[in-house]
Amino acid sequence: SLRLLYVALTRARERLVLCGRIAANRKEETLKGWWAQIRAGFEHAEIAGKARSVACGEVTATRYGPDPLTMAAEAGAKPAVAPLPAWAAQPAAADPLGRFASPSDLGEGAKVAAPSPLASAPGGLGRFRRGDLIHRLLQILPDLPPDGWAAGAEALLARERDLTAAQRAEMAQAALGVLSDPRFAEVFGPGSRAEVAIAGSAAVLPAGLRVSGRIDRLVVLPDRVLVADFKTNRPSPAAVDDTDPAYLRQMAIYAAVLAEVFPGRRIEAALVWTDGPKLMAIPENLLVKALAQLRP
């Protein structure tokens, strides 16, 4: 919190205005956080003597430093404004490939999503927050020894102070259920990496399409490459054919770009559903079909 305050205070070039609001039933002396830190700074022995109260419209402010100069209005003709070109009034043509520029942005487009039990929790928690936290667990915990996974999950989720014990336990169970399932051993085994940045294009993608994204888990083996993406939707689909087409397009784009990076190796794509948990391999024919839908 104080680092953020420092960043805010050090970005001003000539003048910094600090203001806030207070409820009618509160007193300024009871305020904490940034306001208390700022007020304490003005009361510092080296500053207090140089600060003074001044009128700023209808309020009284504490000012440190010289008063701003009131500049006279400049006389002269207003600069001519060039008319807008005709194209500026026309609506921009929709870019059919624009939404695929970042494959990871397609990840939360589920057609039917059951509401998370966290959705009504205080602080506005919802399925996106839950998904982010479980993703973080699946990213970090594999680097720990298996006997330290439970303690690691507890320590990480303990930092989220607005969560209840039941919420922490549910998310830890979802992540540990995946990590302890032998079907996922390869996803988290030797040669696997978490949060792998990927950018580029591929011959099988539409001309001009450039993608930039981040792969949840990448496994590079001598003869093949496995790309896996974590999904926290509940309930998870029963079969790969029931998967949201947006997810299939996302994985097809990843596989296409990786095929250019690792020529000669078989590219496999899979979705890891924390609900179950289940590992859902995506057949090559579905990847090809998803890529065909990208073309106009």
Side-chain angles (χ1 to χ4, degrees):
S1 178
L2 291 181
R3 289 193 184 103
L4 292 176
L5 175 59
Y6 170 81
V7 171
L9 294 177
T10 54
R11 289 304 181 266
R13 175 181 294 182
E14 297 177 354
R15 187 188 312 175
L16 181 66
V17 180
L18 306 170
C19 57
R21 63 183 180 90
I22 183 172
N25 61 349
R26 295 285 301 277
K27 294 183 179 180
E28 182 178 340
E29 290 73 16
T30 65
L31 292 180
K32 299 179 181 180
W34 286 1
W35 186 254
Q37 298 289 340
I38 293 168
R39 187 177 58 206
F42 277 116
E43 294 173 353
H44 192 277
E46 297 181 5
I47 301 297
K50 302 177 183 178
R52 60 198 183 281
S53 297
V54 296
C56 292
E58 299 179 356
V59 300
T60 300
T62 300
R63 177 173 293 164
Y64 174 78
D67 295 328
L69 299 177
T70 301
M71 306 295 291
E74 294 185 359
K78 294 183 179 180
V81 179
L84 288 175
W87 58 261
Q90 302 296 323
D95 181 2
L97 302 179
R99 65 177 297 219
F100 302 108
S102 178
S104 60
D105 288 344
L106 304 177
E108 293 296 342
K111 295 176 292 187
V112 179
S116 166
L118 304 184
S120 58
L125 294 174
R127 70 184 183 95
F128 292 103
R129 171 85 181 283
R130 175 181 179 273
D132 288 342
L133 291 173
I134 295 177
H135 272 66
R136 197 184 310 170
L137 291 173
L138 294 175
Q139 174 190 351
I140 296 175
L141 294 183
D143 293 333
L144 302 177
D147 57 2
W149 287 345
E154 181 180 357
L156 189 149
L157 293 174
R159 301 177 184 176
E160 309 296 324
R161 300 188 181 277
D162 58 327
L163 299 181
T164 66
Q167 291 168 346
R168 295 190 184 97
E170 187 276 329
M171 285 183 280
Q173 183 180 6
L176 295 177
V178 172
L179 294 176
S180 59
D181 194 312
R183 292 173 296 175
F184 305 114
E186 188 175 61
V187 176
F188 300 100
S192 66
R193 295 177 57 192
E195 296 292 313
V196 179
I198 183 173
S201 185
V204 296
L205 295 178
L209 176 57
R210 301 290 185 270
V211 298
S212 175
R214 191 170 293 274
I215 296 173
D216 287 342
R217 203 80 188 178
L218 183 68
V219 185
V220 179
L221 301 172
D223 60 335
R224 58 195 175 93
V225 175
L226 171 62
V227 53
D229 203 71
F230 305 141
K231 301 301 180 187
T232 56
N233 307 51
R234 297 184 299 180
S236 60
V240 67
D241 291 334
D242 300 326
T243 303
D244 183 354
Y247 293 163
L248 298 179
R249 287 193 293 268
Q250 175 190 0
M251 302 308 292
I253 292 174
Y254 283 151
V257 176
L258 288 171
E260 301 280 342
V261 179
F262 299 97
R265 303 191 202 190
R266 187 172 75 256
I267 308 298
E268 300 177 351
L271 295 173
V272 176
W273 300 96
T274 58
D275 180 37
K278 64 182 70 168
L279 177 66
M280 186 176 288
I282 303 176
E284 184 177 357
N285 67 310
L286 286 184
L287 297 176
V288 173
K289 180 180 178 181
L291 288 180
Q293 294 174 348
L294 293 177
R295 298 186 178 277

